[in-house]
Structures are given as structure tokens and as C-alpha cells.
Amino acid sequence: MRIYTRSGDKGETSLIYGQRVPKDDLRVEAYGTCDEANSAIGVALSHLKKEDWEGKDAFMDNMKRIQTVLFHVGAELATPKGKDVMWELNKKHIDDLEQAIDQWDQDLAPLKNFILPSGHQASAGLHLARTVVRRAERSAVGLGEEVNNPYVVSYLNRLSDLLFVAARYVNQKVGGEETPLSPDV
């Protein structure tokens, strides 16, 4: 099988079930942004080394599950309204994010002010992924009733929260430094 098909050379692409839409369609923007966020998470995680901290394997396993679910969120967004989704997001996926947020957050010092995306490369990368997820969420919200599953927007919202906490958690585990927002400019 060839990787190129030439079917998109005129600015259209296929959704799941074969419906053709322009590549600048908001649905394509939404699932493409999920793909971008997934890649950003992958880049961030690539900066972590096996020996960074005890228990890192559990963190990485959780993040890989999140990447898999995010891939499926993109598939839901690529499914036209009224069609069956191949794999359906549900409340348990959101509950899993909340459980990880609570677990990691209990080890962190409470925030007293805003922080700048900074510290270890993995942490800064997770902050970047968080902002990409927020963009995916805005696109999904823009689709309104065209989104088949109401859990999609909730998942993206919670995922950005998780990525914020994950960035702080990684900084704490590897000795990265958080930079507080300074009121002085």
C-alpha cells in the first residue's frame, strides 16, 4: 500500500465513511488539531529518560493510554453526524483523567500565582500540548450539534487540565523549575 493517494491534491479529504469535505472544514480542523496535540505529547514524552524517577513507567503508561484515547477522539470528530463511531468515548475516559489529575496534584505545592510554561523540556512540551488541546476543544465546540458524542468536548477540556498538572508533576519529579508569572514587565 502506498502512503500517498493523490486524492487530496485538490484540497479535499475524506471523513470516516467516505464523505468528501474541504481540508479547511471545521471538522477537519478539530480532528487535525487532536492529531497535532497527540504529536506534541509524544515529543514532550521523548525528553524523559528511563532513569528520571522511580514510578516513571506508570506515568508513561498513563500518558500512552491518553494518547490512544486522544487518537480515538479524533476519529469521533472525523465521523459525520448520525453515523456510528468505531470506538466511543464515554464517561469512564473522563473519570480516568480526573483520577490521574488528583493523584499527581496531591504531590504538588499549591499554586499561589500563574506560572509560565517552563522548566524541563518535557514539562514545557506538555504545556505546549495543553494549548493545542485547548485549540482542538475550541474547534469541537464550534462544530456544535455536528459532534456525535457530548463527551468529546468534556474530554478535551479535562485533558488540557491534566496536561497542566502533568507538566507541573514532571517538573517536580525531574527537578525542573517552575517560573512564576512576574507582575513586572
Side-chain angles (χ1 to χ4, degrees), residues 10 24 65 94 176:
K10 293 191 173 145
D24 64 354
R65 273 191 304 281
I94 296 165

Side-chain angles (χ1 to χ4, degrees), residues 10-24:
K10 293 191 173 145
E12 288 190 341
T13 191
S14 292
L15 300 178
I16 294 175
Y17 293 103
Q19 178 185 341
R20 302 289 291 171
V21 296
K23 288 186 177 185
D24 64 354

Side-chain angles (χ1 to χ4, degrees), residues 71-92:
F71 188 90
H72 291 295
V73 169
E76 287 219 26
L77 289 166
T79 302
K81 182 72 177 170
K83 299 286 188 178
D84 291 335
V85 294
M86 295 179 181
W87 182 91
E88 194 167 351
L89 189 68
N90 60 56
K91 185 173 180 330
K92 182 185 180 320

Side-chain angles (χ1 to χ4, degrees), residues 41 59 62-63 66 96-101 104 126 130 156-168:
I41 292 168
F59 174 83
N62 201 350
M63 293 304 296
I66 288 166
D96 289 346
L97 293 179
E98 291 175 352
Q99 182 181 12
I101 291 168
W104 299 335
L126 290 168
R130 171 185 54 81
L156 292 170
N157 183 34
R158 208 71 78 255
L159 178 57
S160 63
D161 296 336
L162 176 131
L163 291 169
F164 178 79
V165 171
R168 294 192 68 221

Side-chain angles (χ1 to χ4, degrees), residues 127-160:
H127 278 294
L128 175 62
R130 171 185 54 81
T131 65
V132 177
V133 168
R134 284 286 187 209
R135 186 161 29 95
E137 178 187 8
R138 291 189 300 271
S139 294
V141 166
L143 285 169
E145 295 293 318
E146 289 299 308
V147 176
N148 287 308
N149 186 338
Y151 289 118
V152 166
V153 172
S154 297
Y155 186 85
L156 292 170
N157 183 34
R158 208 71 78 255
L159 178 57
S160 63

